[in-house]
Amino acid sequence: MSYIERGTNAFKRVNLALFAGGFSTFAILWGTQPLLPEISKELQVSPATSSLVLSSTTIALAISMLISGSLSEVFGRKSIMALSLALSSILSILTALSPDFHLLILTRVLQGIVLAGLPAVAMAYLGEEIEPKSLGIAMGLYISGNSIGGMSGRIISGILTDYINWHAGLIGIGIITLISSFIFCLLLPPSANFTPKKLMLKPLMKSLISHLKEPALICIFIIGFLVSSIFASLYNYIGFELIKPPYNLSQTLVGFIFIVYIVGTFSSTWMGSLSDTHGRGKILYISLFILLTGSCITLNTTIWIKILGIAVFTFGFFASHSIASGWVGKVSTHDKAQASSLYLFFYYGGSSINGTASGLVYSNLGWNGLVTLIASFSVLAIGTAACLVSITTKKSKYVNRGVLSRTQTVNKREHKRR
């Protein structure tokens, strides 16, 4: 195999291309989040109903990711990713032109379907094309594009909405991501180590079901579902809270609150590094506790303390998500890409279902009720993490005992020979 080496022009092109691709995907996916209060007001729907603008996209994305990865095995990595980015950018502009709420949801569902092409395939492309010793930095740059795209999409759409309207916000996102998509197609080298395969559904489903029989993986999937539910519950409705008295913040200022994503970019890297040194279980506990603490801090009505709480919450979320998603590859014994796709399926499923369901709690019980729900999910996640640690510890002891037993048997045989 001919790998792309660090320091070469090809390596720089791959990193810039996938940074642009990750930026586009997450700017489109999350760019509507700060617009929910305006959409709710203009289209005369409740906060919970307006959250379907996000939830419909993420659930479509979750389901489609299980399919996109398989299609890329047949039609190629770059072609699926390029088509995904181009179509989702065009749909972003069409979404802005939606005359009513139902058509808005339909276009967002279509966006979720086509958006799945990049996140489902990008990591497989990097794993195949980048030299193993440089894969970590390449993956980190791709993830940073995701994070910066999610942050920038929210800020840009918030500013454009404040000065013009939410339609202009979505058109702006569409134009920027269309340019990013062009950069992606221009720079990304074609796959050199990819071999097309026949699409066979039976082995795919058999492998999929086998992952769902692994207790440790089930625990990780549940944690992904819960932390995503928590994240969507807070960020979907913090805008509604901050545009009301006593805060009365503008859409621009609400959009800039998402700059705390920078904290998450740092925490995912730092806490992930600590988990390698001190153990994933211990750092996952700490991350989930930080998540819980941050949500409770937001109960304070002082604006700066509330924003501090959001920052602490974001730190804990990104750390938890990073450790849980990284744990999948360590626990799964086969078809690791498929196992990762399943994790993302549960992850986006959580934000889709509870991102909307928590809106009913917020509408009826206010911010205090929403934080109580978030705290409950956090406690459940901590309990699931305890089960995960117990399962993996027992499995590790069993494996070590088996290795020790085999070693002792070999030693006895060698001793008899002597």
Side-chain angles (χ1 to χ4, degrees), residues 274-306:
L274 288 178
S275 71
D276 290 333
T277 307
H278 301 286
R280 288 180 177 80
K282 184 183 295 184
I283 303 302
L284 181 58
Y285 286 141
I286 294 170
S287 301
L288 290 170
F289 181 76
I290 291 171
L291 179 73
L292 173 60
T293 302
S295 65
C296 292
I297 292 173
T298 66
L299 289 170
N300 193 291
T301 54
T302 304
I303 183 64
W304 295 113
I305 296 178
K306 191 179 284 288

Side-chain angles (χ1 to χ4, degrees), residues 71-376:
L71 290 177
S72 75
E73 299 286 355
V74 180
F75 299 107
R77 309 299 191 199
K78 183 176 178 178
S79 57
I80 293 295
M81 290 190 285
L83 186 64
S84 166
L85 291 173
L87 289 178
S88 56
S89 298
I90 293 169
L91 279 169
S92 184
I93 297 171
L94 293 177
T95 299
L97 305 177
S98 301
D100 57 59
F101 188 72
H102 295 96
L103 194 56
L104 176 62
I105 296 300
L106 176 61
T107 52
R108 286 290 287 173
V109 168
L110 292 175
Q111 266 191 320
I113 293 170
V114 298
L115 269 175
L118 188 116
V121 178
M123 292 186 180
Y125 175 91
L126 287 172
E128 290 167 351
E129 305 300 327
I130 302 296
E131 60 175 347
K133 65 180 181 180
S134 302
L135 184 58
I137 188 169
M139 201 72 78
L141 287 168
Y142 164 65
I143 296 297
S144 68
N146 296 350
S147 177
I148 292 171
M151 178 183 71
S152 301
R154 289 169 167 100
I155 292 173
I156 292 166
S157 63
I159 292 172
L160 289 174
T161 298
D162 203 23
Y163 285 96
I164 308 175
N165 54 41
W166 66 268
H167 302 276
L170 292 182
I171 290 173
I173 294 295
I175 293 170
I176 291 169
T177 55
L178 201 56
I179 295 169
S180 295
S181 302
F182 177 74
I183 293 171
F184 173 88
C185 295
L186 189 66
L187 294 179
L188 190 74
S191 298
N193 302 321
F194 169 75
T195 304
K197 301 175 183 177
K198 291 183 178 179
L199 184 60
M200 296 183 290
L201 294 178
K202 191 173 180 180
L204 180 68
M205 290 304 298
K206 188 176 179 180
S207 175
L208 196 71
I209 293 169
S210 69
H211 288 308
L212 296 172
K213 293 179 180 179
E214 175 59 52
L217 278 177
I218 291 172
C219 288
I220 298 173
F221 296 158
I222 292 172
I223 291 169
F225 180 90
L226 289 170
V227 296
S228 177
S229 299
I230 291 164
F231 183 73
S233 296
L234 187 138
Y235 270 102
N236 277 5
Y237 303 104
I238 189 65
F240 287 95
E241 188 70 10
L242 294 179
I243 63 172
K244 297 191 306 186
Y247 310 110
N248 298 313
L249 297 187
S250 67
Q251 283 293 333
T252 298
L253 289 176
V254 170
F256 269 103
I257 283 175
F258 294 104
I259 206 166
V260 298
Y261 258 50
I262 294 173
V263 173
T265 303
F266 165 74
S267 74
S268 60
T269 305
W270 184 52
M271 296 295 273
S273 176
L274 288 178
S275 71
D276 290 333
T277 307
H278 301 286
R280 288 180 177 80
K282 184 183 295 184
I283 303 302
L284 181 58
Y285 286 141
I286 294 170
S287 301
L288 290 170
F289 181 76
I290 291 171
L291 179 73
L292 173 60
T293 302
S295 65
C296 292
I297 292 173
T298 66
L299 289 170
N300 193 291
T301 54
T302 304
I303 183 64
W304 295 113
I305 296 178
K306 191 179 284 288
I307 292 172
L308 173 64
I310 295 169
V312 172
F313 172 90
T314 304
F315 183 101
F317 164 75
F318 274 98
S320 303
H321 175 41
S322 175
I323 294 166
S325 59
W327 212 333
V328 174
K330 296 292 182 181
V331 171
S332 58
T333 56
H334 62 92
D335 297 311
K336 294 179 185 291
Q338 191 180 54
S340 295
S341 294
L342 268 173
Y343 171 81
L344 291 172
F345 171 78
F346 280 91
Y347 174 83
Y348 286 113
S351 65
S352 303
I353 296 168
N354 290 308
T356 296
S358 59
L360 299 174
V361 175
Y362 176 70
S363 296
N364 290 288
L365 301 175
W367 191 253
N368 290 353
L370 183 64
V371 171
T372 301
L373 178 67
I374 289 171
S376 301

Side-chain angles (χ1 to χ4, degrees), residues 28-52:
I28 291 169
L29 181 61
W30 298 111
T32 55
Q33 199 165 48
L35 313 185
L36 296 184
E38 285 298 312
I39 291 172
S40 174
K41 182 180 177 181
E42 182 179 317
L43 301 181
Q44 298 182 333
V45 294
S46 69
T49 303
S50 71
S51 71
L52 288 172

